[in-house]
Amino acid sequence: MTRTHLMIHSSPPCHRLVLLLVLLLHPCHRKLAEAAATTGGQWALLQSSIGIASMHMQLLNNDKVVIYDRTDFGPSNISLASGKCRYDPQEQVLKVDCTAHSVEYDVATNSFRPLTVLTDVWCSSGSLMPDGTFVQTGGFNDGDHVVRLYKPCSSGSNCDWQEINNGLIQRRWYATNHILPDSSQIIIGGRRQFNYEFYPKTAATNQVFNLRFLVQTNDPVVENNLYPFVFLNVDGNLFIFANNRAILLNYKKNIVVKNYPQLPDGNPRCYPSTGSAVLLPLRNLQGPAIQAEVLVCGGAPKGAYASAQKGDFMGALNTCGRISINDPNPQWVMETMPLARVMGDMLLLPNGHVLMINGASAGTAGWEYGRNPVLSPVIYQPNKTIGSRFEVQNPSTIPRMYHSSAILLRDGRVLVGGSNPHMLYNFTGVLYPTELSLEAFSPSYLDPGVAGLRPRIISPVSQSQIGYGRQLVIRFSVSGQLKGNLVTVTMAAPSFNTHSFSMNQRLLVLGGDNVKIAGNSTYQTAVLTPSTSSLAPPGFYLLFVVVHQDIPSQGIWVHLQ
């Protein structure tokens, strides 16, 4: 099987699908082949190489994507612009480096250009500020205390990274960021950092706040609590999941206001056991009590990391835990996925479904510790009954293992890249070569057969400003007959993705059932914007109209402030 995966990867693109079908029809994979035969979604190769492995990704409000890898492995496969070189006496491999380790990808033109990072951004974190500036924090070696800013600019401009040395009090490596209601962001944890801090600093926040929960969830040697899953609850507190359990934290007072039960199976879900998690879509935003649910899926069982170090690759977990975090007595409800998955990504789609993509079915995160790529994405539909929520999608032909990434684009596609389970870039003689390509996965709502049903937003125009608790009138067009009770308006925050977790990911269902005819094939609906910054922190969001329950429009950018 290992040799077959290598054949798939190293074969020309035109032959990959044939080889994949041969693999799937092998008796060991017949069940997967049967499941995939009736499912949807399409794959497209966008770039065979962008010169770097896409370890980290962030979509900006100008429809460009900042992508970066790390600087400490030697040269990449793309040169810096204008013959520039980076000189870093602290660099561990190549002190004079004329290659780029970050690029800006332009979605509209399917093109990319090199960017310059001066210090090591390996396994770092980040989030967007309300003005659209991407704030990236930490990394490795001489980059672990650095804050880096990337401000979106117009096409033709040469915007680049700005670096703030010692912008952090503590080193942040494998930490998690989240934007807060007051427009600042919190940086939580990281290797041997059982604390949190804020950026930007104020007189009250220019310090480090200890978080004992990160000590309690730290497994000796293995850790299993890096890149914790962090979500802003509707009450303004933070839900923090690490290892196999969670707390609700009042970060202003540094008080744990609720302890949640451990997952029933007790298995770890955070790095390096690396499952993934989402805050499910927030609905009924004008109701007296807004329900907030967290879904945690996949990962590796206890002992998997130590076993992988010995060459024994344990099977990944095939379970999800779902919990309503504001219930008086919250309990995990367990579900079984059709495919076990470790190092997978979970993304909220515009229609409120959850996409599970990338990863492996054995081993853990870490160099050379993953086996058996999971090539087929899975759609999870939260509103269906247990037992009918999962749908396996059509497979890719490219393994996306350790250090892969995925983000939602404005047009509804999912950008997928990365995979480098090696200490250096390695393209030959290995199970899973370093992958420099970019793909797009198009969910079934983009299938040509439903193109005529897809709505188009007429107004407001993209980049419109909206306020809190205001009525927002949306005009849209759609062909064919429209049932007004099957229309919703959703608003999605663009997330920062790395290591199987999408930071700041959030989708709000604003309503939309009061649809009126406004002209020939034109309709109008009025919704209320979120009432507080605890529901939706200030910043840029993607606004979608969804018809027939699951077919979204192309998104428009709105600026909530």
Side-chain angles (χ1 to χ4, degrees):
M1 177 175 177
T2 295
R3 182 173 299 172
T4 306
H5 281 302
L6 182 57
M7 288 172 60
I8 289 176
H9 181 88
S10 59
S11 298
C14 59
H15 295 161
R16 282 178 173 173
L17 184 57
V18 174
L19 287 170
L20 177 66
L21 291 174
V22 172
L23 171 65
L24 291 176
L25 292 174
H26 188 278
C28 294
H29 299 277
R30 192 166 293 147
K31 183 177 180 181
L32 175 58
E34 291 170 354
T38 58
T39 55
Q42 296 179 341
W43 288 88
L45 181 66
L46 300 176
Q47 292 286 347
S48 59
S49 173
I50 59 169
I52 66 169
S54 304
M55 188 189 299
H56 314 77
M57 280 188 184
Q58 174 70 62
L59 175 67
L60 306 176
N61 68 291
N62 59 359
D63 291 320
K64 296 179 181 179
V65 181
V66 174
I67 304 173
Y68 59 95
D69 189 8
R70 39 187 273 252
T71 67
D72 61 348
F73 63 86
S76 73
N77 283 28
I78 181 172
S79 298
L80 286 167
S82 304
K84 292 192 299 185
C85 295
R86 180 178 66 95
Y87 174 65
D88 184 356
Q90 304 301 317
E91 192 56 83
Q92 296 186 341
V93 177
L94 194 62
K95 299 186 186 303
V96 178
D97 188 354
C98 302
T99 64
H101 302 281
S102 177
V103 302
E104 181 190 71
Y105 174 72
D106 189 325
V107 177
T109 62
N110 187 27
S111 60
F112 57 94
R113 65 182 182 91
L115 301 175
T116 305
V117 285
L118 300 177
T119 51
D120 200 352
V121 289
W122 179 23
C123 297
S124 54
S125 51
S127 66
L128 291 178
M129 298 301 281
D131 68 352
T133 298
F134 176 44
V135 175
Q136 183 274 342
T137 53
F140 182 65
N141 192 23
D142 61 350
D144 60 11
H145 283 72
V146 176
V147 172
R148 302 168 189 86
L149 308 179
Y150 191 89
K151 297 184 178 182
C153 59
S154 58
S155 296
S157 302
N158 291 319
C159 49
D160 213 328
W161 289 100
Q162 303 170 40
E163 304 208 5
I164 304 171
N165 292 323
N166 298 314
L168 300 171
I169 299 173
Q170 295 288 356
R171 75 192 294 257
R172 299 293 169 186
W173 192 30
Y174 300 93
T176 297
N177 292 24
H178 206 296
I179 190 74
L180 298 174
D182 67 356
S183 300
S184 67
Q185 60 180 273
I186 190 169
I187 306 109
I188 300 175
R191 178 154 286 165
R192 293 184 289 279
Q193 295 299 328
F194 310 112
N195 51 61
Y196 61 90
E197 62 182 289
F198 298 88
Y199 182 85
K201 311 293 186 188
T202 66
T205 63
N206 193 21
Q207 59 179 303
V208 170
F209 300 84
N210 291 326
L211 186 56
R212 182 165 174 77
F213 174 69
L214 294 178
V215 177
Q216 296 167 340
T217 54
N218 181 56
D219 288 343
V221 182
V222 180
E223 296 168 304
N224 277 332
N225 68 347
L226 301 179
Y227 280 125
F229 306 145
V230 179
F231 303 106
L232 177 66
N233 192 13
V234 296
D235 63 2
N237 293 314
L238 289 176
F239 177 91
I240 304 176
F241 182 100
N243 199 318
N244 55 17
R245 53 196 184 275
I247 59 171
L248 191 64
L249 177 72
N250 181 329
Y251 60 87
K252 296 178 181 178
K253 298 180 179 180
N254 195 13
I255 295 174
V256 175
V257 296
K258 183 180 289 187
N259 285 282
Y260 295 93
Q262 179 177 287
L263 279 168
D265 62 11
N267 282 313
R269 308 287 176 143
C270 292
Y271 185 94
S273 292
T274 308
S276 191
V278 293
L279 175 69
L280 291 175
L282 298 174
R283 303 174 182 273
N284 304 315
L285 303 185
Q286 280 70 52
I290 302 171
Q291 187 178 39
E293 292 184 281
V294 169
L295 181 71
V296 179
C297 293
K302 291 180 180 178
Y305 186 77
S307 293
Q309 290 178 312
K310 301 173 184 177
D312 178 18
F313 304 100
M314 298 173 64
L317 299 174
N318 69 345
T319 55
C320 295
R322 180 168 167 172
I323 190 168
S324 183
I325 66 177
N326 292 326
D327 278 2
N329 182 31
Q331 298 295 320
W332 292 99
V333 177
M334 302 303 291
E335 301 181 54
T336 301
M337 300 187 292
L339 303 171
R341 194 182 303 258
V342 62
M343 297 180 288
D345 291 287
M346 294 172 65
L347 298 178
L348 294 171
L349 298 178
N351 58 9
H353 298 170
V354 181
L355 176 69
M356 304 173 182
I357 198 166
N358 297 339
S361 63
T364 70
W367 283 321
E368 317 298 343
Y369 291 164
R371 291 294 185 275
N372 305 340
V374 181
L375 300 172
S376 294
V378 169
I379 294 286
Y380 176 87
Q381 300 182 54
N383 292 339
K384 287 192 173 182
T385 58
I386 291 181
S388 61
R389 290 173 173 164
F390 296 95
E391 291 183 359
V392 180
Q393 304 295 290
N394 287 324
S396 172
T397 60
I398 302 176
R400 301 288 182 182
M401 306 290 281
Y402 186 43
H403 290 153
S404 297
S405 56
I407 57 168
L408 175 70
L409 299 177
R410 183 167 64 90
D411 59 15
R413 294 179 300 163
V414 173
L415 184 67
V416 179
S419 187
N420 185 27
H422 318 294
M423 186 178 296
L424 307 175
Y425 278 16
N426 202 333
F427 303 99
T428 58
V430 291
L431 290 177
Y432 312 111
T434 301
E435 188 58 64
L436 308 183
S437 67
L438 284 182
E439 289 179 287
F441 175 72
S442 296
S444 57
Y445 55 65
L446 293 174
D447 287 352
V450 298
L453 301 176
R454 196 174 190 201
R456 181 179 66 88
I457 296 176
I458 300 171
S459 64
V461 297
S462 199
Q463 305 294 335
S464 292
Q465 294 187 7
I466 61 175
Y468 285 95
R470 305 285 180 84
Q471 185 181 74
L472 179 64
V473 177
I474 301 163
R475 183 168 291 198
F476 63 96
S477 63
V478 63
S479 301
Q481 186 176 5
L482 179 68
K483 293 183 179 180
N485 62 342
L486 298 181
V487 175
T488 56
V489 177
T490 62
M491 197 172 83
S495 59
F496 168 73
N497 178 272
T498 190
H499 289 76
S500 300
F501 184 55
S502 291
M503 303 176 195
N504 307 290
Q505 186 168 216
R506 198 173 196 83
L507 188 137
L508 300 98
V509 180
L510 303 185
D513 54 359
N514 57 340
V515 176
K516 299 177 181 179
I517 297 175
N520 185 26
S521 299
T522 304
Y523 302 87
Q524 180 174 298
T525 184
V527 298
L528 285 177
T529 60
S531 58
T532 70
S533 56
S534 293
L535 283 177
F540 285 91
Y541 289 80
L542 288 168
L543 188 79
F544 300 91
V545 171
V546 181
V547 301
H548 305 295
Q549 294 186 316
D550 62 0
I551 302 176
S553 66
Q554 180 167 277
I556 63 167
W557 288 104
V558 293
H559 194 189
L560 179 62
Q561 52 186 356

